[in-house]
Amino acid sequence: MKVTVDEEKCCGAGQCVLIAPEVFDQRDDDGIVILLEAEPGEEQHAAVREAAAVCPAAAIELTGRD
Amino acid sequence: MSEQVLHYPIPNEAALEPPAEWAELRGGCPVARVTLPSGDQATLLTRYEDVKKVLADPRFTRLLNAPDAARLSATDDGGLFNSEMAAIIPDGGEGHQHWRRLVGKWFTAKRMTAMRPRMARIADTLVDELVERGAPADLKAGLGFPLPVYVICDMLGVPAADRDRFSYWSDTLLNLTRYGKEEIEAAQAEFFQYMSGHLAAKRAEPGDDLLSELIAAGGPEDGGLEDLQILVTGMALLVAGHETTANMIGKMVAMLLSDRSRWEALLADPSLIRTTVEESLRFDADSGFGLPRYLREETEVSGTYLPKGTTVVCSMAAANRDESVFADADRMDLTRSPNPHLAFGSGAHSCLGQALARTELQVVLEVLLRRLPTLELAVPVEELERVEGLAVGGLRTVPVRW
Ligand code: HEM
Ligand code: SF4
């Protein structure tokens, strides 16, 4: 699984950080998403999928199989 | 259904149940003509995909003061948040994004985690007071209503002694039906004056709060906001974050107690709190009017042509029951995940305070489960009554005992 985030779209809602704190963080000065782990391990996949599904700005994209 | 014009909001008897029309509309008439309380016509959207797309589409603006936009009710000019505030806080584009990022840093997941213990203390104190006064009690008045104001006052650096005045202002500004025009205008003027004084005090002696930091960011030439924008931001946060969260606390607890097996499931496994909060937001059949939008150029939704100047109403609550997205949508499933509900809207304008609202709702559940595990409704579900009025849906009272 490969994760990309779109900083322009991100509205800083922080959903991703709440759900997958090991993969996503937010910048302190404006709340915009920071991708910590572009190729998260297997154990993170479920959380990352959930984060992508609920991101209100559709700013998280997942590619690759599994 | 296509020829007959429907009145909106759709009247509904049962406080916690959705009206039957939602399913019919989603199935047969997802882009429906409706008549608003003002008598003006609008277009109602009820399907998940449509609501989500339209809310995130900048062609559907919040400029409901356009001359040909539908008025919501005969007396209401679209509410405080839509009219005057919208004129001062940019509605879209780069200006809005700039504002959002300056203010948004106060609403990050990290900040919320840091604020959690303080929220729990406030909730604990409010529960102490409930217990002291004894059962039965109105959970909305005793916990739901004060908690969000106290939390926002903390964020804005407002002293505890002034919190109850904030409650009053917020209630007056939003309760378009309960208070008269003069009372509303007087409250607005008082609130404005209070905030001007408060900002001057923060300027002289900055604290560790959102307003002090917005001031410290400088004026527009330094990448900050104008004074008036800072002031209106402070007012907007109270108005946007109080009644919404207060009512949601009441509705969430009522939904969980209306079928007490839900409450028991949470007692048995408090790790369900996070998904329960999301499911309560999704399942809320009384989230209020929905979001109106004014269409700037012609377009099409689900195959229906919409001319320029159309006023659209997005019903997030109807969309949140869409079976094509949520399996068993009419069942409250405390383990549902992922739960991409639209209770906070979608796209660039989606609720700025959602991390705060979520944290408050989670803290309320944690504290109630811990302090009042025997909590139950003190009246039959059928006796719960909805608040009248347009903006935010909620229950008049939530009578409980323990
Ligand atoms: C359960 C509680 C809440 C609900 C259901 C809720 C719902 C919403 C919705 C649906 C919107 C989108 C409006 C639109 O697209 O036109 C919104 C926007 C907003 N909300 Fe909330 N909200 C809640 C709590 C809060 C809190 C606690 C705050 C802050 C203290 C807050 C601040 C805001 C602000 C500032 C906006 C405007 C954002 C923008 O225009 O960029 N809300 N809210
Ligand atoms: S959930 Fe989406 S919008 Fe929110 S911070 Fe993460 S990427 Fe940004």
Side-chain angles (χ1 to χ4, degrees), chain A residues 5 9-17 26 31-33 51 55-60:
Chain A
V5 294
K9 275 199 203 160
C10 172
C11 65
Q15 270 286 78
C16 53
V17 190
Q26 280 169 289
I32 298 308
V33 63
C55 168
I60 302 172

Side-chain angles (χ1 to χ4, degrees), chain B residues 62 96 100 237 240-241 244-245 291 293 316 343-345 349 351 353:
Chain B
R62 296 198 291 187
H96 171 256
R100 181 123 183 162
L237 290 177
T244 42
T245 315
L291 291 174
R293 290 287 197 261
M316 292 92 80
F344 293 118
H349 283 284
C351 182

